[in-house]
Amino acid sequence: MPLADLGPEIALIAGALAALLMAMALPQPRLGLCLWPALAALAVAGTWAVAQADAARLTFSGVWALDGATLWARILIVTATALCLILAPRWFATDRRHGEFYALTLFSALGAIAMAAAADLLQLVMAVLLSSVTGYVLAAFHRDWALSVEAGMKYFLIGALANALLVIGAILVMGMAGTSDYAALARTDLGQPLALAGLALIVAGLAFKLGAVPGHAWMPDVAEGAPVPAAAFLTVVPKIGAALALFRLVQLFPEVEMLRPLIAALSVATMTLGNLAALWQDDLRRLLGWSSVSQSGYALMAVAVADLAPDALPALLWFLAAYALANVTGFAVVAQLRGRTALADYHGLIAARPGLAAALIVALLSLTGIPPLIGFTGKLELFVATLDGGYGWLALAAVANTVLSLGYYLRVIGPVCFAAPEGPPPACLSRAAGAVALGSGAAVVGIGLFAGPFLARAAGAVVLP
């Protein structure tokens, strides 16, 4: 067991424990200091992950994959987690349990990384459970607010069912194949009905973490009711881990004919349902939640053509990076405006808070896929990979849904730019939250303009076994 192979994950555990110990010792007004060991752990984890960038092997008896997919998952999850945590100190300034938030978030990030790196069904199950259990608490962290409690309960109830299906599916596949190891499963014939049923249940269980049909219903409630730093985290980080876990699983079984059509059908259902539901929302956070559901549908396009298109994995990695950056930007703007969520609160924001308005606009346009923003290259890569994989009808459905999504994004952008402001300029949360909103918004533009080197790096990623 070469512990250095899991250095980034060990750093997250150490940071979580340090934050928790500080939370036990510090007085309530100083609990924001727990942010610093968490950020230090994330910095160490990211640096260690980059040092392992060229690794391509299975480790810890074959249950953990060190490859390009794991590297990107580590970098994306560490970066998104750091941005979300920076929003937390001022948001939770009066919360007596504030210090625990940092430890829970790091443990949840660890679960997401473990999902992406899992090369064994039992490892995958443990990773999903770790991400889920901590996520339930994060969603309901404002326990005195009915919406937060409702979000946590819905997340828990749907998660309990989805995780049970995942475990049953893993048991069926293991029972029929005689192994839980991915490398061995790739050499096993899983044409038996029970094994196929098990694979379908595993897909359903991972769809819950991805926020895709049929496990999608928690996403808009968590986006609306969870604390904004937690909502930003839960709508991004588990999705990264689940998408890569599902990709890793699907590419093991190119001979299972029903698997890819199932993923493609879920992709269309997810993006269509998310976009249609978002059209009717008058709450920005809930709109972002349904938007996150639709983005899961786009991510599933790359999963459907895993091993069919050579650029399927790079397309998925780049799309996840684009989505994570844009979605965190949107929630950072909400946090900086102290949680204002009614669309009417954003009327004339371009005149009252031009920087925040610009960040919100580029985030929404990037989620749509408008050039030259990072979201454009993310969706373009997905469409090309899907066409190369022979799923032209799926690419056509995604284009139609992209046009549809522009309708509800413009419902926000139009009043932000052209409506008259209602009342005085909205109060802001903190300089740190403003820096996250403006910095990540600038990155949406900058990385979109200079995406070439990043895309070249993603093109070299491999997925094991």
Side-chain angles (χ1 to χ4, degrees):
M1 291 187 179
L3 292 179
D5 286 351
L6 299 187
E9 291 70 33
I10 294 172
L12 293 183
I13 295 173
L17 294 177
L20 190 59
L21 291 174
M22 285 183 63
M24 295 170 60
L26 291 174
Q28 191 276 332
R30 303 184 68 82
L31 287 178
L33 294 176
C34 297
L35 170 67
W36 296 107
L39 290 182
L42 291 167
V44 171
T47 303
W48 205 319
V50 171
Q52 295 177 336
D54 296 325
R57 63 182 181 274
L58 298 177
T59 188
F60 275 74
S61 302
V63 304
W64 190 277
L66 281 180
D67 54 19
T70 300
L71 166 68
W72 275 76
R74 284 170 165 174
I75 297 300
L76 293 180
I77 289 171
V78 161
T79 303
T81 302
L83 292 175
C84 294
L85 286 182
I86 293 172
L87 304 175
R90 287 294 299 163
W91 185 271
F92 293 106
T94 60
D95 194 310
R96 290 182 295 121
R97 300 171 299 115
H98 170 193
E100 302 165 15
F101 180 82
Y102 304 98
L104 286 168
T105 305
L106 290 183
F107 281 128
S108 190
L110 173 63
I113 293 175
M115 274 193 281
D120 184 279
L121 284 177
L122 293 180
Q123 169 73 20
L124 176 63
V125 169
M126 289 189 292
V128 171
L129 293 178
L130 175 58
S131 175
S132 297
V133 169
T134 49
Y136 305 150
V137 182
L138 292 174
F141 208 81
H142 284 332
R143 59 183 179 182
D144 296 328
W145 189 33
L147 276 180
S148 185
V149 175
E150 179 184 351
M153 284 301 300
K154 182 170 284 190
Y155 194 17
F156 167 71
L157 292 174
I158 297 174
L161 174 60
N163 290 340
L165 295 178
L166 174 68
V167 173
I168 293 170
I171 291 171
L172 289 176
V173 172
M174 290 167 54
M176 300 306 297
T179 181
S180 61
D181 180 73
Y182 281 10
L185 285 173
R187 301 188 296 269
T188 304
D189 179 17
L190 292 183
Q192 307 95 329
L194 280 179
L196 293 177
L199 282 176
L201 291 176
I202 292 173
V203 170
L206 289 175
F208 157 70
K209 297 305 299 177
L210 189 60
V213 171
H216 67 283
W218 63 271
M219 183 77 79
D221 289 86
V222 168
E224 179 186 22
V228 172
F233 177 87
L234 293 172
T235 56
V236 168
V237 171
K239 192 189 300 286
I240 296 171
L244 292 175
L246 196 53
F247 187 98
R248 197 183 295 277
L249 190 68
V250 169
Q251 60 91 34
L252 291 177
F253 308 113
E255 75 286 350
V256 179
E257 296 181 358
M258 54 80 68
L259 198 52
R260 298 181 195 280
L262 173 63
I263 299 293
L266 292 181
S267 173
V268 173
T270 300
M271 66 176 76
T272 304
L273 175 62
N275 285 326
L276 289 176
L279 284 172
W280 311 107
Q281 302 306 316
D282 292 320
D283 182 282
L284 180 59
R285 289 176 63 177
R286 196 165 183 86
L287 185 148
L288 288 174
W290 281 113
S291 167
S292 297
V293 172
S294 72
Q295 300 295 323
S296 298
Y298 299 123
L300 286 173
M301 294 167 61
V303 177
V305 296
D307 258 11
L308 296 180
D311 292 331
L313 179 60
L316 177 61
L317 295 173
W318 190 246
F319 174 78
L320 291 174
Y323 163 74
L325 191 56
N327 210 59
V328 169
T329 301
F331 276 102
V333 172
V334 174
Q336 177 64 346
L337 296 178
R338 295 181 176 267
R340 291 171 178 263
T341 57
L343 294 187
D345 294 334
Y346 290 81
H347 287 184
L349 186 64
I350 193 73
R353 302 289 182 192
L356 294 178
L360 180 61
I361 290 169
V362 299
L364 296 179
L365 292 179
S366 181
L367 290 172
T368 310
I370 302 299
L373 306 175
I374 185 175
F376 169 72
T377 53
K379 283 195 175 179
L380 180 63
E381 292 290 312
L382 278 183
F383 294 160
V384 172
T386 305
L387 289 171
D388 289 344
Y391 277 77
W393 64 270
L394 179 56
L396 183 61
V399 170
N401 270 278
T402 297
V403 175
L404 176 63
S405 70
L406 189 59
Y408 61 82
Y409 291 130
L410 289 178
R411 286 187 61 226
V412 181
I413 295 173
V416 164
C417 295
F418 303 113
E422 298 183 4
C428 292
L429 182 68
S430 67
R431 291 182 179 178
V436 171
L438 298 178
S440 53
V444 168
V445 179
I447 298 177
L449 290 171
F450 303 99
F454 300 99
L455 287 171
R457 183 68 187 183
V462 297
V463 60
L464 299 175

